[in-house]
Amino acid sequence: MITGLDHIALAVNDLDAAVAGYRALLGREPNWIGGDGGARHAWFQLPNMALDVITPHGEGAFGDTIRRHLAEHGEGIWALAFTVENAEAAQKLVGRRGLRGSVPGPTRSTHDDGRKRYWTTSALNAADTGGLNILLVDPPRSGEPWPLSPAIDSEASAVSELDHVVINTPNPDRALAVYGAKLGLDLRLDRSNEQWGVRQLFFRCGTAVVEMGASLKTPVSDAPDRFGGLAWRVTDADAVQARIAAAGFDVSEVRKGRKPGTRIFTARNVVGGVPTVLIQQNAETETA
């Protein structure tokens, strides 16, 4: 049913500032800027997903939705969208599994130069998903993938893909039911670490991962899940760290990651307040 991660939607107050910030962070140009329905957005397309940065603009139902989210929650991740083979069939299937959703319908975006994009989306009921906005999205109508966002300088110094998205949950068994049994994501690892005080669930989604984190120090509850942060994949951690430090980001030193063979660093002042980590996979192991 779900074939991958389609996009992550980020709600912001100032689109121009957010575009400048993510352009500098990702090292890539947006491949689309436009809007419809009372909102404007910029689309950064990577090989395994897109980052859709959205702000209210004028009158319209969608803009009102984003405006309410900003008023209630502030800037940050608004929705997680999964690619499905057929939105209508997928919505019917998850509906039978207990995830209510809207009737799949067309979404349109008009580029500032007049070009238009169309895709089909079903929005699941947040009361059934653990409190988060989850979308099911058809592939592009044309049958061709959206063009990739080009690197500004070199591919080595740009973000290559999304590694994983983090969701904080107070109820890991509910997360297993929603993301595993009902949405059908592939649970690859269920790990508890007393030293870190966390239980982690890792769901494979295409070439990205949805990571659920649950505290071992607080009781299980029915409180809503919350979006955590984003981890971006890079091919050269040192080159990317140097580039975004020069762009004004507050970055940590590059260090060995918890997963063997990884090198990571943190960017702290990202637009929208999204916790952000950048990861180099399969890094050469340093010798003592």
Side-chain angles (χ1 to χ4, degrees):
M1 178 180 65
I2 289 175
T3 60
L5 188 58
D6 188 86
H7 67 274
I8 292 172
L10 180 69
V12 300
N13 290 307
D14 186 332
L15 185 66
D16 291 340
V19 168
Y22 272 97
R23 183 180 181 274
L25 178 72
L26 301 177
R28 296 187 179 277
E29 298 284 1
N31 79 343
W32 189 271
I33 298 180
D36 265 318
R40 277 178 56 76
H41 70 140
W43 192 271
F44 291 87
Q45 183 67 54
L46 300 177
N48 68 345
M49 54 78 70
L51 180 70
D52 187 17
V53 186
I54 309 169
T55 194
H57 182 78
E59 298 182 357
F62 182 51
D64 290 342
T65 296
I66 300 300
R67 193 173 286 109
R68 283 193 301 270
H69 177 84
L70 287 168
E72 295 172 6
H73 304 287
E75 293 186 318
I77 299 174
W78 171 71
L80 188 63
F82 294 109
T83 304
V84 295
E85 295 177 350
N86 182 286
E88 184 175 357
Q91 194 277 327
K92 288 180 179 178
L93 177 58
V94 298
R96 292 197 297 269
R97 294 174 176 175
L99 299 180
R100 294 165 292 176
S102 64
V103 175
T107 299
R108 184 184 71 184
S109 176
T110 302
H111 192 280
D112 287 347
D113 65 11
R115 288 177 291 153
K116 298 183 185 297
R117 282 183 176 179
Y118 298 90
W119 61 94
T120 301
T121 301
S122 173
L124 302 184
N125 191 321
D128 298 337
T129 66
L132 299 184
N133 294 313
I134 303 294
L135 311 176
L136 303 179
V137 182
D138 268 352
R141 286 187 185 179
S142 66
E144 298 293 329
W146 305 127
L148 297 178
S149 288
I152 296 171
D153 294 319
S154 68
E155 285 291 337
S157 66
V159 166
S160 56
E161 292 185 318
L162 182 79
D163 192 84
H164 62 274
V165 54
V166 178
I167 296 172
N168 300 316
T169 181
N171 194 326
D173 289 337
R174 181 181 67 195
L176 285 168
V178 171
Y179 291 87
K182 297 182 180 183
L183 289 175
L185 297 185
D186 181 13
L187 177 65
R188 304 303 296 271
L189 183 63
D190 181 348
R191 175 178 65 187
S192 294
N193 190 303
E194 296 292 341
Q195 183 179 357
W196 302 339
V198 67
R199 179 180 176 187
Q200 295 169 294
L201 310 173
F202 295 87
F203 296 92
R204 174 64 64 180
C205 185
T207 60
V209 168
V210 177
E211 176 186 336
M212 311 292 297
S215 173
L216 296 175
K217 300 178 181 180
T218 57
V220 172
S221 77
D222 292 328
D225 295 340
R226 301 293 183 194
F227 285 116
L230 300 175
W232 300 101
R233 194 174 300 157
V234 300
T235 58
D236 186 336
D238 295 306
V240 177
Q241 191 256 20
R243 177 183 60 76
I244 69 172
F249 286 89
D250 178 11
V251 298
S252 71
E253 295 298 319
V254 178
R255 61 191 185 278
K256 289 183 179 180
R258 289 174 174 172
K259 180 181 176 181
T262 61
R263 302 176 72 233
I264 70 171
F265 69 95
T266 302
R268 301 187 183 91
N269 55 331
V270 175
V271 175
V274 179
T276 300
V277 173
L278 298 102
I279 302 177
Q280 179 182 347
Q281 298 278 6
N282 302 317
E284 293 182 1
T285 302
E286 297 179 4
T287 57

